[in-house]
């Protein structure tokens, strides 16, 4: 659990600093990330981003559209090779990041999950 909490702390610190390099330093080069916000902002992806560069491009759009973006960790859950970060975003909405890790502790797959259908509007994007 300590490792999951440390991972989440680094994750939120990197996001709050808007430091994409630091956020992406935890991801493998061929990581996959899916999000309903990505589906809304980049419909051609169907919400699935493949590879660190595609994830970076998507998150850069998010930071550009949401300059006030800030996260606050509510809870961290640890499973077998899985971390779930439950957080509140800058709009006050609750969100979960579900991150699947490889044997080296790097994110291979990630999933952004929201409580509402219109995740882009709720996120401020």
């Amino acid at each position: 659990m300590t490792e999951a909490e440390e991972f989440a702390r680094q994750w939120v610190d990197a996001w709050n600093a808007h430091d994409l390099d630091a956020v992406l330093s935890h991801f493998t080069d061929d990581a996959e990330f899916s999000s309903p916000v990505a589906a809304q902002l980049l419909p051609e992806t169907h919400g699935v981003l493949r590879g660190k560069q595609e994830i970076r491009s998507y998150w850069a759009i998010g930071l550009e559209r949401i300059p006030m973006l800030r996260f606050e960790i509510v809870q961290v859950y640890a499973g077998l090779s899985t971390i779930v970060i439950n957080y509140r975003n800058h709009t006050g909405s609750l969100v979960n990041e579900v991150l699947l890790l490889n044997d080296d502790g790097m994110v291979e797959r990630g999933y952004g999950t929201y409580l509402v259908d219109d995740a882009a509007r709720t996120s401020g994007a």
Side-chain angles (χ1 to χ4, degrees), residues 61-114:
I61 291 168
L63 288 174
E64 181 180 309
R65 288 182 152 201
I66 312 168
M68 73 297 252
L69 181 131
R70 184 157 182 80
F71 300 150
E72 174 190 340
I73 294 174
V74 175
Q75 193 67 47
V76 177
Y77 304 88
L80 299 175
S81 302
T82 306
I83 296 174
V84 178
I85 304 170
N86 176 238
Y87 65 95
R88 191 172 304 282
N89 69 16
H90 57 284
T91 69
S93 298
L94 288 172
V95 183
N96 286 308
E97 296 281 319
V98 180
L99 305 171
L100 306 179
L101 309 177
N102 66 13
D103 291 339
D104 296 322
M106 301 289 288
V107 177
E108 288 185 318
R109 293 197 191 289
Y111 305 90
T113 63
Y114 296 79

Side-chain angles (χ1 to χ4, degrees), residues 3-5 11 13 31-32 34 44 57 59 68 74 79 103 120 125:
E3 290 177 14
E5 290 171 338
W11 176 89
D13 287 350
E32 187 174 287
S34 68
E44 68 279 5
S57 296
W59 284 342
M68 73 297 252
V74 175
D103 291 339

Side-chain angles (χ1 to χ4, degrees), residues 35-56:
S35 166
V37 176
Q40 289 179 273
L41 296 181
L42 302 169
E44 68 279 5
T45 68
H46 303 284
V48 180
L49 307 153
R50 293 178 175 86
K52 196 183 276 191
Q53 287 308 114
E54 199 167 295
I55 296 168
R56 175 189 297 280

